[in-house]
């Protein structure tokens, strides 16, 4: 079964929320509602285990942002109106073409109107506040680097509902959204849809704490961001991780659901198990090397070869954990196939141009820092942003036995904000059905 990666997957079971939505449809039918838009429901549990139902509409409903019994907008309505007011009259004036307008005059009018619209949008988006999984409030600037988001981002039902639930200390259980009104080219009335890719994909991962790619009763596939641990570490400051966040959203998940992990600095696809039987089945696939994984990486420098196979024996450097060193005697064999995608020029964090090589890695073993070691030691070009192996290696592994590199010099002129390594493909057999599950995820960095 091919499971193509989508920006947003319905994060929770829909069954209970759908029943609420069907009742909402009956009420809208009875009211002869002529409004067109999205409605949604979120079924939650409070701390005592009682069921709580929240409802929301997308945008404003029949001209009103706030309605009793519905999730509120994610901004203060009075401040919203004040942000619109300064440019509103001028924007309306610029929307009307004067008589005998030339092409040059129209271009100038359109340019000024666009500038004022964008200025207003930036003011509006500065007002939005999202209550997230950890009950902390965040802004657009906290969760997105985009200077100008699509119009309506943050106004959909899902972010409204989830933000309200987390602000009330509720646990989301079931979420569903449906379209109401006149049919259009994309949406069919009374039809259920997952959160939208265009807007919700930009903010839901931050609200939930995880980017959920796929979920069923047995497995959860997420896209781990760079900088987040896969599993809890030692000490209270290392408890925030993929597993902790997943179990916070899904308390029914087993205590130790992970069957593999990614380095903290690596982003990309991970699969977790909801139950013990699924965990055992997935773990067996990883142990028997039946799981296929591919990684995208940007290397700092030029790799002349087109591809190949790297076989290195390495182990942890006991005096410099967690760094790995080559060791033909005590090291464990790491096998990696790789393919060069392109050689190009990128700009580093200081704006300087540097040669880079995009490489697709396919590891056949699961050793610590396997791909980072392969890039630095075998290919002679460390992964961009690698603070452990960010050295230019002037020898091949056969000449660097035991990790005693003949020559090495500082390769990186700057400290990159992240490691440019991303787990881009994950394929395995479903632990219960046995069907092939394959997921893809593009990196957030240029490749």
């Amino acid at each position: 079964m091919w499971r193509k990666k989508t920006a947003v997957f319905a994060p929770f079971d829909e069954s209970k929320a759908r029943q609420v939505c069907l009742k909402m449809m009956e009420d809208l039918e009875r009211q002869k509602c002529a409004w067109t838009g999205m409605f949604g429901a979120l079924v939650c549990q409070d701390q005592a285990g009682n069921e709580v139902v929240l409802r929301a509409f997308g945008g404003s409903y029949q001209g009103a942002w706030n309605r009793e019994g519905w999730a509120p907008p994610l901004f203060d309505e009075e401040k919203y109106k004040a942000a619109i007011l300064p440019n509103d009259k001028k924007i309306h004036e610029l929307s009307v073409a004067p008589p005998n307008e030339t092409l040059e005059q129209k271009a100038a009018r359109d340019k000024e109107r666009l500038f004022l619209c964008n200025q207003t949008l930036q003011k509006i988006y500065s007002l939005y506040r999202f209550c997230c999984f950890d009950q902390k409030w965040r802004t657009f600037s906290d969760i997105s680097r985009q200077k100008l988001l699509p119009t309506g981002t943050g106004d959909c039902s899902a972010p409204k509902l989830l933000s309200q639930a987390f602000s009330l200390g509720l646990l989301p259980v079931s979420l569903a959204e449906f379209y109401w009104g006149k049919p259009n080219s994309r949406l069919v009335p009374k039809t259920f849809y997952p959160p939208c890719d265009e807007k919700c994909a930009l903010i839901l991962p931050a609200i939930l704490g995880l980017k959920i790619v796929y979920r069923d009763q047995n497995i959860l596939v997420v896209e781990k961001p760079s900088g987040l641990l896969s599993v809890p570490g030692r000490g209270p400051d290392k408890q925030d991780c993929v597993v902790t966040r997943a179990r916070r959203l899904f308390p029914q998940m087993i205590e130790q659901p992970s069957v593999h992990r990614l380095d903290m600095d690596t982003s990309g696809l991970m699969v977790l198990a909801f139950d013990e039987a699924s965990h055992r089945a997935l773990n067996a696939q990883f142990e028997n090397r039946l799981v296929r994984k591919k990684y995208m990486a940007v290397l700092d420098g030029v790799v002349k070869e087109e591809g190949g196979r790297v076989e290195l024996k390495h182990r942890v450097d006991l005096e410099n954990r967690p760094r790995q060193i080559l060791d033909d005697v005590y090291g464990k064999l790491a096998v990696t196939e790789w393919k060069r995608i392109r050689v190009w020029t990128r700009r580093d964090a200081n704006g300087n141009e540097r040669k880079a090589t995009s490489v697709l890695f396919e590891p056949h073993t699961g050793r610590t820092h396997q791909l980072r070691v392969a890039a630095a030691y075998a290919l002679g070009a460390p992964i961009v942003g690698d603070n452990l192996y960010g050295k230019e290696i002037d020898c091949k592994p056969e000449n660097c036995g035991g990790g005693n590199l003949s020559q090495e010099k500082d390769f990186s002129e700057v400290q990159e904000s992240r490691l440019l390594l991303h787990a881009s493909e994950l394929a395995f057999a479903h632990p219960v059905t046995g069907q092939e599950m394959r997921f893809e995820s593009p990196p957030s960095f240029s490749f």
Side-chain angles (χ1 to χ4, degrees):
M1 177 184 292
W2 166 249
R3 291 286 182 182
K4 185 178 180 181
K5 186 265 177 195
T6 56
V8 174
F9 183 84
F12 300 98
D13 179 78
E14 294 181 289
S15 55
K16 284 190 174 183
R18 281 192 176 219
Q19 295 304 310
V20 176
C21 287
L22 291 173
K23 179 63 169 61
M24 291 168 63
M25 290 184 200
E26 292 177 4
D27 293 340
L28 293 170
E29 287 266 15
R30 187 169 57 255
Q31 297 165 11
K32 297 182 179 179
C33 177
W35 182 77
T36 294
M38 296 293 296
F39 286 94
L42 180 64
V43 179
C44 309
Q45 282 186 352
D46 63 17
Q47 294 182 354
N50 300 311
E51 192 171 277
V52 179
V53 175
L54 306 177
R55 297 173 177 81
F57 48 81
S60 61
Y61 178 34
Q62 296 180 337
W65 287 100
N66 283 281
R67 283 180 173 270
E68 186 177 355
W70 299 85
L74 299 173
F75 52 81
D76 182 281
E77 190 172 2
E78 293 304 314
K79 292 181 179 179
Y80 181 92
K81 292 177 181 177
I84 293 175
L85 193 59
N87 293 337
D88 191 52
K89 182 179 179 181
K90 187 64 176 177
I91 289 173
H92 280 85
E93 291 175 355
L94 291 168
S95 300
V96 180
N100 304 318
E101 183 181 43
T102 66
L103 291 175
E104 291 79 6
Q105 290 172 331
K106 181 180 184 304
R109 177 172 58 85
D110 289 344
K111 183 178 180 181
E112 184 180 1
R113 184 180 183 278
L114 179 62
F115 172 80
L116 292 175
C117 287
N118 289 343
Q119 188 181 67
T120 298
L121 280 175
Q122 288 177 335
K123 289 180 181 179
I124 289 173
Y125 283 138
S126 70
L127 303 175
Y128 282 70
R129 300 289 185 273
F130 307 90
C131 188
C132 299
F133 68 100
D134 52 6
Q135 291 190 296
K136 292 182 179 178
W137 291 85
R138 292 178 172 85
T139 65
F140 274 127
S141 60
D142 293 327
I143 63 179
S144 176
R145 294 182 180 180
Q146 287 186 227
K147 291 184 178 179
L148 198 61
L149 297 159
T151 303
T153 303
D155 296 335
C156 297
S157 296
K160 284 184 180 181
L161 289 165
L162 290 166
S163 183
Q164 184 185 37
F166 290 134
S167 70
L168 297 173
L170 302 174
L171 175 68
V173 174
S174 180
L175 172 67
E177 295 179 78
F178 66 92
Y179 176 70
W180 181 266
K182 298 178 181 179
N184 59 39
S185 58
R186 296 186 305 113
L187 301 172
V188 178
K190 300 182 183 180
T191 301
F192 289 93
Y193 293 93
C196 66
D197 290 353
E198 305 94 294
K199 304 168 189 175
C200 293
L202 302 174
I203 55 176
L204 282 191
I207 295 175
L208 294 171
L210 286 174
K211 189 170 186 176
I212 297 173
V213 178
Y214 176 81
R215 171 206 47 77
D216 63 25
Q217 292 182 335
N218 308 107
I219 62 173
L220 177 71
V221 179
V222 302
E223 186 177 295
K224 187 187 87 65
S226 174
L228 181 68
L229 290 168
S230 294
V231 298
R234 295 181 180 178
D237 60 326
K238 293 183 175 62
Q239 295 308 297
D240 185 27
C241 62
V242 170
V243 167
T244 301
R245 294 186 183 188
R247 295 194 69 245
R248 181 180 288 166
L249 290 175
F250 306 102
Q252 73 273 25
M253 180 175 275
I254 56 176
E255 186 174 354
Q256 296 180 346
S258 60
V259 291
H260 69 128
R261 64 185 68 181
L262 299 175
D263 290 345
M264 183 175 73
D265 296 330
T266 304
S267 59
L269 295 167
M270 283 184 61
V271 59
L272 295 87
F274 274 105
D275 56 272
E276 294 288 357
S278 297
H279 186 274
R280 286 193 297 271
L282 287 172
N283 196 52
Q285 290 186 57
F286 275 93
E287 288 184 350
N288 294 320
R289 302 179 184 177
L290 300 176
V291 177
R292 187 175 184 183
K293 298 169 287 182
K294 290 185 178 180
Y295 293 74
M296 293 177 173
V298 178
L299 277 51
D300 203 352
V302 176
V303 177
K304 296 181 180 180
E305 295 85 357
E306 293 185 359
R309 182 182 177 95
V310 174
E311 296 187 5
L312 295 175
K313 287 186 177 181
H314 56 84
R315 62 170 175 81
V316 68
D317 183 348
L318 298 177
E319 298 179 356
N320 189 20
R321 294 176 182 269
R323 184 183 173 94
Q324 300 286 305
I325 57 175
L326 304 182
D327 191 328
D328 288 335
V329 178
Y330 299 105
K332 292 184 177 180
L333 182 64
V335 180
T336 305
E337 290 188 33
W338 65 278
K339 179 182 179 181
R340 187 186 67 189
I341 305 301
R342 66 168 176 149
V343 176
W344 53 293
T345 301
R346 59 180 292 274
R347 291 190 180 276
D348 63 23
N350 287 338
N352 300 316
E353 290 189 349
R354 300 172 69 89
K355 287 294 184 181
T357 305
S358 295
V359 170
L360 186 66
F361 285 116
E362 184 172 356
H364 294 290
T365 52
R367 308 302 179 204
T368 301
H369 296 175
Q370 177 171 327
L371 304 182
R372 298 165 72 173
V373 169
Y377 288 7
L379 304 186
I383 298 172
V384 172
D386 194 333
N387 59 1
L388 281 179
Y389 308 96
K391 303 287 183 179
E392 182 178 18
I393 308 303
D394 292 336
C395 63
K396 290 294 183 180
E398 58 266 23
N399 300 321
C400 303
N404 299 315
L405 304 178
S406 59
Q407 296 179 37
E408 63 177 42
K409 57 186 177 181
D410 192 9
F411 191 76
S412 298
E413 298 173 2
V414 296
Q415 180 65 45
E416 297 290 342
S417 59
R418 63 153 296 182
L419 180 74
L420 300 191
L421 178 63
H422 181 78
S424 59
E425 186 172 327
L426 183 64
F428 54 88
H430 191 281
V432 174
T433 67
Q435 291 181 307
E436 181 190 10
M437 307 293 287
R438 184 153 63 97
F439 303 90
E440 287 185 346
S441 163
S444 60
F445 51 82
S446 297
F447 179 76

